[in-house]
Amino acid sequence: MLTTYSLSGLTVVTPASALPGSSIQVDQKKLGRLEGKSKFDLRFGDGFVAFPALINIHDHFNGNYLPKVGPPPGEFYINWATWDRDLKNSDVIKVERARTSVEERYFLSAYKNIFSGVVTANDHFPHEFNEPLIPRLPMRAIRNYTLSHACSSFDLRWGDGFEIEHARAKKMNFPFITHLEEGFDPETQGGIETLEAAGCLDDHTVMIHCIGFSDEDIVKVARAGAHVAWCANSNIFMFNVTCKIKKMLDAGINVAIGTDSTATGSINLLEEMRYGREVYRTMYAEDLSAKTIVNMVTVNPAKAFRIQKETGTLSEGRLADILIVRQQKDDPWESLVAARPEDIELLVQDGSPIFGDARHEELFSGRGVPYTRVAIRGRQMLVKGDPVGLMERVRKAVGFRKVLDFIPLDP
Ligand SMILES: [Fe+2]
């Protein structure tokens, strides 16, 4: 078993700077010094940038399927509840997706994340639903969280009620994760008041969507040190509007970018990073810097999940969660924002490769990772587990040659 190795000749991005000609040492599951070489060294040469592996703050692993389900053309929802009714009544869910198993959908979701450089994600679903599946997935879905669906009288009743779940989060030092203010009816727009009145708005609180926030809400959230998950594609698709993202960032709120499920959101996190940037440009006629966007999928979600001492940055002692992409732009951060699945050179979780160019086969076998050879837009790559066999099972289950855009394997 290959316990220690190094990746050298890279531009290594720490949150603050990019260091060309650097190397990363891996010792078992952790990052060692960011210099020097081990006996087993992979030399990359110019043109590759290393980042911390990405973190998707918001996903629903049972919900990743296509096509999207949304409002009739030209219409938008008043809140998430009307969408939920449409979703559950749609043929794609009731008939087609129902032929696949929960396990198949969880593995599809893991690969959706892996193919976009994500090693850590939250499957926002109750523990009793995902606990049996999470340990078997080929990437990391966090287990240390408490949750609510939306903290309203008509929400989906996930968990034991938001007050109990939030208290549990405080006791266990976990994040308390909930959709909030996803819509414009009076109760939904009172989300922050509801949390505040119950003493549930603090730095454990991670709120998804927040499209109904008033300026006053934003001040309260910033003061409380609570966190926001921004899912622009899902918001625009369902409501034709997203949150007041600029005001939130200017207020100093810790914001992270999430995909939501593909039933409403982007096909993967890389697409969502670009989508969010485009929406920001349209809303404010100014650019959101690539560095800010990269922080929103690395350090910021790590802080929200309270795992910033474990992952989210490339520094000694953290988990060896590494994403290496081809350098396509002069600015290293821009290279990540421009990246697509076929631009990923290597993705490493806990020191072991889970996706990457086929030339790194020795690293896969050296670390004992079971892998499959795949082609993505003509590039020969290796991936942990067997997404090819998975797609075959899904196609057999639905009875036709289903294509899912978040599984970008060549036919
Ligand atoms: Fe969601």
Side-chain angles (χ1 to χ4, degrees):
M1 176 73 144
L2 186 61
T3 51
T4 57
Y5 64 91
S6 53
L7 311 167
S8 68
L10 294 159
T11 296
V12 175
V13 173
T14 68
S17 57
L19 311 164
S22 298
S23 51
I24 297 173
Q25 297 221 30
V26 175
D27 186 5
Q28 312 222 24
K29 291 183 170 194
K30 297 210 169 161
L31 293 166
R33 285 182 303 119
L34 293 184
E35 55 191 17
K37 278 185 199 170
S38 303
K39 224 171 11 176
F40 185 94
D41 178 65
L42 289 179
R43 172 136 193 103
F44 286 80
D46 283 345
F48 294 97
V49 194
F51 294 88
L54 308 190
I55 303 172
N56 184 0
I57 194 165
H58 187 59
D59 202 342
H60 304 282
F61 280 24
N62 194 44
N64 285 312
Y65 202 73
L66 285 168
K68 286 182 169 188
V69 176
E75 290 180 31
F76 295 97
Y77 295 122
I78 185 74
N79 59 33
W80 62 270
T82 37
W83 167 78
D84 192 57
R85 182 202 57 204
D86 284 357
L87 180 82
K88 287 169 179 164
N89 288 323
S90 68
D91 278 352
V92 64
I93 299 302
K94 259 193 344 195
V95 182
E96 188 185 313
R97 201 193 74 176
R99 296 193 184 119
T100 64
S101 68
V102 172
E103 178 177 318
E104 283 158 356
R105 298 199 288 274
Y106 266 69
F107 276 80
L108 287 173
S109 301
Y111 286 114
K112 159 192 160 174
N113 282 292
I114 287 173
F115 290 136
S116 57
V118 174
V119 147
T120 309
N122 177 230
D123 168 36
H124 188 225
F125 260 128
H127 289 288
E128 60 269 26
F129 193 81
N130 64 24
E131 268 296 318
L133 290 152
I134 282 178
R136 298 169 44 214
L137 297 176
M139 43 76 71
R140 178 190 303 128
I142 63 161
R143 299 171 85 172
N144 294 346
Y145 66 94
T146 72
L147 89 169
S148 180
H149 175 260
C151 305
S152 70
S153 62
F154 57 93
D155 77 6
L156 297 180
R157 298 287 175 268
W158 293 352
D160 294 329
F162 72 89
E163 292 102 329
I164 292 172
E165 293 283 331
H166 179 267
R168 193 174 290 150
K170 272 176 84 166
K171 190 172 159 220
M172 308 289 283
N173 195 26
F174 289 174
F176 161 70
I177 304 172
T178 183
H179 298 109
L180 205 81
E181 300 208 16
E182 190 186 12
F184 303 100
D185 64 278
E187 188 185 342
T188 299
Q189 282 200 287
I192 286 296
E193 281 84 355
T194 304
L195 288 183
E196 207 185 19
C200 296
L201 184 66
D202 60 22
D203 64 342
H204 290 266
T205 312
V206 180
M207 297 165 294
I208 301 136
H209 301 313
C210 312
I211 59 175
F213 276 15
S214 64
D215 290 356
E216 215 173 83
D217 289 340
I218 290 172
V219 171
K220 287 176 181 173
V221 169
R223 205 184 296 139
H227 316 269
V228 167
W230 182 33
C231 309
N233 196 337
S234 177
N235 301 154
I236 302 279
F237 177 72
M238 290 167 70
F239 304 101
N240 201 26
V241 69
T242 188
C243 61
K244 297 175 176 176
I245 180 67
K246 185 171 160 57
K247 279 193 173 150
M248 290 187 188
L249 295 174
D250 289 349
I253 295 173
N254 182 47
V255 179
I257 294 174
T259 55
D260 214 346
S261 85
T262 59
T264 56
S266 293
I267 56 163
N268 63 41
L269 192 60
L270 294 170
E271 294 295 334
E272 182 65 25
M273 289 156 66
R274 290 188 280 274
Y275 189 93
R277 188 183 217 180
E278 214 36 59
V279 164
Y280 191 96
R281 226 175 248 146
T282 307
M283 287 169 76
Y284 307 109
E286 62 179 69
D287 190 32
L288 189 58
S289 78
K291 205 187 242 185
T292 303
I293 294 170
V294 170
N295 285 344
M296 288 163 118
V297 292
T298 52
V299 274
N300 297 9
K303 189 175 170 203
F305 288 158
R306 312 180 84 76
I307 53 174
Q308 67 269 45
K309 288 191 181 140
E310 290 150 52
T311 190
T313 47
L314 291 178
S315 41
E316 194 172 344
R318 299 283 198 284
L319 292 171
D321 293 346
I322 308 159
L323 170 62
I324 298 173
V325 298
R326 289 203 259 224
Q327 179 148 13
Q328 308 182 59
K329 314 262 180 179
D330 289 344
D331 179 296
W333 290 272
E334 291 287 356
S335 291
L336 179 53
V337 176
R340 297 181 190 277
E342 65 272 24
D343 299 313
I344 294 175
E345 175 68 21
L346 189 63
L347 181 65
V348 175
Q349 176 195 344
D350 293 321
S352 292
I354 59 174
F355 178 47
D357 191 282
R359 70 190 176 116
H360 303 305
E361 192 163 8
E362 214 182 328
L363 186 61
F364 277 78
S365 33
R367 293 288 291 199
V369 177
Y371 60 86
T372 302
R373 197 170 280 272
V374 297
I376 297 184
R377 292 191 185 91
R379 188 174 188 190
Q380 297 302 307
M381 304 188 84
L382 307 178
V383 59
K384 182 179 178 183
D386 183 13
V388 178
L390 172 65
M391 277 309 289
E392 278 168 15
R393 289 198 300 282
V394 168
R395 285 166 174 165
K396 203 168 163 206
V398 296
F400 67 101
R401 213 183 146 66
K402 181 72 182 174
V403 173
L404 292 164
D405 290 345
F406 57 88
I407 307 289
L409 305 176
D410 292 350

